Amino acid sequence: MKIETLSTILQNRFGFSAEMIATAEVSALKDGESLKEVLVRKKIIPERSILKALEFQYDIPFESKLDLNNKSLDFIETIPIHFLKKYHILPLLPVHSLKETDIPETGTPEAKIQPATMVINDPSSIQAVDDLASLLDITAYGLVFSTKAEILSGINTFYDKKSDRAQQIVQDMEDNVSIISEFEQTSDLLDDNSDTPIIKLVNHMISQSVKASASDIHIEPRQDSLKIRYRIDGILYDLLEPAKWIQSSLITRIKVMANMDIAEKRLPQDSRIEVRIGNKDIDIRISTIPTTLGERVVMRLLDKSSSLLSLSQFGIAPQRLQTIRDLSRLSNGIILMTGPTGSGKTTTLYAMLSEINKSDINIITVEDPVEYKLEGISQIQVNSKIGLTFAKSLRSIVRQDPDVILIGEIRDHETASIAVQAALTGHLVLSTLHTNDSASAITRLVDIGIEPFLITSALRAVMAQRLIRVLCDDCKETYMPDEEMLKNLGLTREDCRSKKVYKATGCNKCFHTGYRGRTPIFEILPFDEKIKNTILKTSDSTKIREVAVAQNMSTLLQNGIEKFFNGITTIEEVLRVTQL
């Protein structure tokens, strides 16, 4: 019986065109790759479709989701993780499997032996599977196809389960102080495979924070201890509280990773490192400051492998979404995004750029740092150490014939002045400003020396943004809020009777917080004639805000109430985020 080729199956059974498969075959022959690798790498055919085709070709089942429950972890003592990741193999071994020699005479091998399963992504890895089976002394096993992402996730899950917990690592360190003194003498500090407890602790802290989708890790010295916390969805949670004497070694290890000066403990330092955890590339910005109790460290984590969201994925109401899209398509003027650090300002501006990123538009950004790399957009990283500031970069890029300019942040008069001039000479300028609400942005611009008549001429809109936590769908519960809480939002019980509102409870899936993920809320201050006339008369943010609200501007609080009534968040969260 003649076995169908992969290309034949993809054409005959799945309906993919012969032309695109032929193109991939030429590329595979030229680059020395398999047809499967080229089809996946160039995103010609989805990986799942190819694996289903391989299922037909080799009669090996394809499983999109692997069951990792009740599986033995013994193999990870013998098999290095990089071997499994290199060949994309995941052994699923039953916990209570028995060798034939262990089977009682009264039993039968069929009844007692549970078969092992080898999960693979490519048929070419069969030889590596045989080698793995030989190392594990497995005589019989079944094969299953699965995606690379699912296999890597399984490998990481198994090795993470077996790795020491942070608290256990700290306990081991406290039980053996001499290990730390040995660590401080060693020169090979960057060996990630080292059994040195301090290296294992730092690696574990970072990997657990990434797994929990934390944005920051805080290492805070206390009088008699060291507090380690991480920020998830904008809230700090305790991770660990090791002994005080671990502080010096822990901070030294982090400084070594970031190429900081380990001898300098009196001055603030900033640096960054890139690490890979599983299939994620993590950019870590590290900041240290001296305190009376020792150095304090904050590590900001940015997942560079995560895809950038589009505006349509932000959960923005249709009318407000259309307003933001209309603003991003303006040919000139300044659009300001305001809000505190970590409120998602830059992410929203990136999404706006993605909406207008076409081949006929020249977009240049000046950022500190460049948080996401955008295809087809020229991005400049500010470097104050060599004199490459926001202002100097801006003076240069206005001569690069840009249509759209993104400025990471307007911090001073010089930067603001160049931004205004660029807007008045036919460029669209997007930027951020650190103020509490949209009206305060006007006060801030006047404060740094921009004349009101220039503000009214250049500015097109100011948007204030916050990130509000989203209720966990697995554990949220309906309820009727008490009157006192509703009063804080300007609501009554009657307002809630016809709507389904929820409270946070907490479960394992949301780390018992009651929330999973965040969504933005907005306040958009458009520049109509009444607002412009008000700005020319006064820079008082309170009066500007009063005029804007009279013009039906939807405030952050009103947008938060919308999210509450739509069952997305809670009263407590709305109040926490919108209290200015």
Side-chain angles (χ1 to χ4, degrees):
M1 179 179 175
K2 187 178 179 181
I3 299 177
E4 289 183 276
T5 63
L6 176 59
S7 59
T8 304
I9 295 171
L10 288 170
Q11 291 174 57
N12 297 341
R13 294 181 182 268
F14 291 86
F16 292 104
S17 72
E19 290 77 16
M20 65 171 157
I21 294 174
T23 303
E25 285 178 324
V26 172
S27 180
L29 190 62
K30 179 183 175 183
D31 299 335
E33 295 180 284
S34 69
L35 176 61
K36 171 184 173 294
E37 288 172 335
V38 173
L39 291 171
V40 173
R41 178 171 58 81
K42 295 193 172 183
K43 299 181 180 179
I44 298 172
I45 296 176
E47 185 183 16
R48 288 169 177 261
S49 298
I50 297 172
L51 292 173
K52 287 179 181 177
L54 290 173
E55 182 179 28
F56 280 109
Q57 187 179 14
Y58 290 95
D59 195 27
I60 295 174
F62 164 65
E63 292 185 11
S64 59
K65 193 71 179 173
L66 299 173
D67 181 11
L68 305 182
N69 295 321
N70 299 318
K71 297 296 186 287
S72 173
L73 302 179
D74 293 342
F75 69 89
I76 65 181
E77 299 288 356
T78 330
I79 309 301
I81 189 172
H82 61 79
F83 174 84
L84 300 181
K85 288 188 174 183
K86 177 181 179 181
Y87 294 103
H88 292 98
I89 304 171
L90 177 62
L92 299 181
L93 311 178
V95 176
H96 300 298
S97 60
L98 297 172
K99 296 180 182 178
E100 290 185 29
T101 54
D102 296 329
I103 299 171
E105 294 181 3
T106 54
T108 61
E110 291 77 13
K112 296 291 182 180
I113 296 179
Q114 298 179 31
T117 300
M118 298 290 186
V119 186
I120 61 174
N121 179 259
D122 197 299
S124 63
S125 60
I126 295 295
Q127 182 59 53
V129 171
D130 287 338
D131 293 341
L132 178 62
S134 176
L135 286 169
L136 296 175
D137 197 20
I138 297 173
T139 55
Y141 57 84
L143 288 171
V144 166
F145 281 125
S146 193
T147 62
K148 282 186 178 181
E150 187 69 12
I151 291 172
L152 288 173
S153 175
I155 293 170
N156 291 334
T157 298
F158 282 159
Y159 279 79
D160 187 54
K161 282 181 181 178
K162 195 69 178 180
S163 65
D164 294 325
R165 294 179 297 109
Q167 190 61 56
Q168 184 60 50
I169 296 169
V170 171
Q171 186 62 50
D172 291 343
M173 292 165 67
E174 291 177 352
D175 290 343
N176 193 351
V177 181
S178 62
I179 291 178
I180 300 302
S181 60
E182 289 175 14
F183 162 74
E184 292 176 339
Q185 304 294 324
T186 184
S187 59
D188 188 12
L189 300 178
L190 297 176
D191 182 7
D192 285 336
N193 294 318
S194 171
D195 288 331
T196 308
I198 200 72
I199 295 179
K200 291 167 70 178
L201 175 60
V202 173
N203 291 347
H204 188 85
M205 279 167 44
I206 296 172
S207 63
Q208 287 302 303
S209 297
V210 171
K211 187 176 180 181
S213 299
S215 61
D216 302 85
I217 303 171
H218 289 236
I219 301 171
E220 305 167 3
R222 303 292 171 91
Q223 189 69 43
D224 300 312
S225 66
L226 184 67
K227 177 81 80 172
I228 300 175
R229 302 191 289 173
Y230 54 4
R231 189 182 296 277
I232 302 174
D233 291 337
I235 305 296
L236 280 170
Y237 298 94
D238 289 347
L239 175 64
L240 201 60
E241 193 165 349
K244 179 72 173 177
W245 58 266
I246 291 175
Q247 176 180 321
S248 176
S249 299
L250 180 64
I251 293 173
T252 297
R253 168 60 185 167
I254 293 169
K255 282 185 167 184
V256 167
M257 291 174 68
N259 290 319
M260 289 178 166
D261 184 355
I262 61 173
E264 182 55 76
K265 300 180 181 180
R266 301 164 300 169
L267 294 173
Q269 294 188 62
D270 292 287
S271 187
R272 64 192 303 169
I273 56 174
E274 290 187 15
V275 297
R276 187 171 181 83
I277 299 175
N279 56 348
K280 293 184 176 182
D281 291 314
I282 309 298
D283 185 50
I284 305 177
R285 280 181 272 161
I286 299 172
S287 170
T288 70
I289 59 169
T291 73
T292 55
L293 299 175
E295 287 183 285
R296 189 184 194 279
V297 180
V298 173
M299 305 167 70
R300 170 150 287 192
L301 312 176
L302 178 67
D303 185 356
K304 296 172 68 177
S305 57
S306 62
S307 57
L308 189 64
L309 295 176
S310 64
L311 286 173
S312 58
Q313 296 173 289
F314 281 12
I316 307 172
Q319 185 178 354
R320 195 173 287 108
L321 176 61
Q322 190 57 50
T323 301
I324 296 174
R325 281 179 166 157
D326 290 343
L327 289 172
S328 65
R329 295 190 183 105
L330 291 173
S331 59
N332 59 75
I334 298 177
I335 300 170
L336 286 180
M337 181 72 70
T338 72
T341 302
S343 59
K345 302 185 297 295
T346 305
T347 302
T348 300
L349 291 180
Y350 276 147
M352 292 174 70
L353 286 184
S354 298
E355 291 271 328
I356 59 174
N357 186 14
K358 305 288 189 301
S359 58
D360 58 344
I361 295 179
N362 181 19
I363 303 175
I364 304 179
T365 75
V366 186
E367 306 169 66
D368 183 23
V370 174
E371 295 191 9
Y372 297 94
K373 291 181 181 176
L374 302 176
E375 189 68 32
I377 293 177
S378 301
Q379 296 173 271
I380 299 172
Q381 168 75 58
V382 168
N383 188 344
S384 56
K385 291 180 181 177
I386 60 171
L388 186 62
T389 60
F390 277 110
K392 190 169 184 178
S393 301
L394 279 172
R395 279 195 295 269
S396 300
I397 66 175
V398 291
R399 295 191 289 271
Q400 290 280 318
D401 187 31
D403 297 296
V404 180
I405 302 170
L406 170 66
I407 306 170
E409 182 186 346
I410 292 178
R411 298 176 178 173
D412 52 42
H413 174 265
E414 190 177 8
T415 306
S417 180
I418 298 171
V420 168
Q421 292 304 317
L424 293 174
T425 52
H427 305 88
L428 178 63
V429 179
L430 309 180
S431 188
T432 68
L433 204 61
H434 283 280
T435 61
N436 284 330
D437 61 3
S438 54
S440 300
I442 311 302
T443 309
R444 173 66 178 148
L445 288 175
V446 172
D447 185 52
I448 61 177
I450 305 300
E451 294 290 343
F453 74 90
L454 289 175
I455 295 173
T456 57
S457 300
L459 229 57
R460 292 289 180 268
V462 181
M463 295 191 289
Q465 177 175 326
R466 297 290 189 280
L467 290 177
I468 200 163
R469 289 189 293 171
V470 175
L471 278 162
C472 174
D473 284 330
D474 291 295
C475 64
K476 66 181 182 182
E477 294 179 359
T478 58
Y479 83 123
M480 176 56 71
D482 61 67
E483 291 184 8
E484 188 63 32
M485 189 67 76
L486 289 170
K487 187 178 178 182
N488 291 328
L489 290 180
L491 301 174
T492 65
R493 289 203 167 197
E494 288 301 317
D495 296 321
C496 299
R497 292 198 190 280
S498 60
K499 295 180 172 59
K500 211 174 216 182
V501 296
Y502 297 87
K503 65 178 179 179
T505 53
C507 64
N508 289 330
K509 291 187 178 179
C510 60
F511 294 92
H512 298 281
T513 63
Y515 302 93
R516 288 169 70 185
R518 290 187 288 178
T519 190
I521 57 173
F522 295 96
E523 174 180 286
I524 304 174
L525 174 65
F527 272 60
D528 57 20
E529 289 306 314
K530 285 194 175 182
I531 293 293
K532 289 181 180 180
N533 290 333
T534 305
I535 293 170
L536 290 172
K537 293 174 185 175
T538 178
S539 60
D540 186 338
S541 62
T542 304
K543 291 182 179 178
I544 296 170
R545 185 177 181 81
E546 286 173 358
V547 173
V549 170
Q551 296 291 100
N552 296 320
M553 178 184 78
S554 177
T555 64
L556 286 168
L557 180 60
Q558 289 169 335
N559 195 190
I561 291 172
E562 285 177 27
K563 300 284 186 185
F564 168 60
F565 280 147
N566 289 332
I568 295 170
T569 192
T570 61
I571 285 184
E572 293 83 0
E573 187 65 8
V574 173
L575 288 171
R576 181 185 72 84
V577 169
T578 60
Q579 285 177 336
L580 302 177

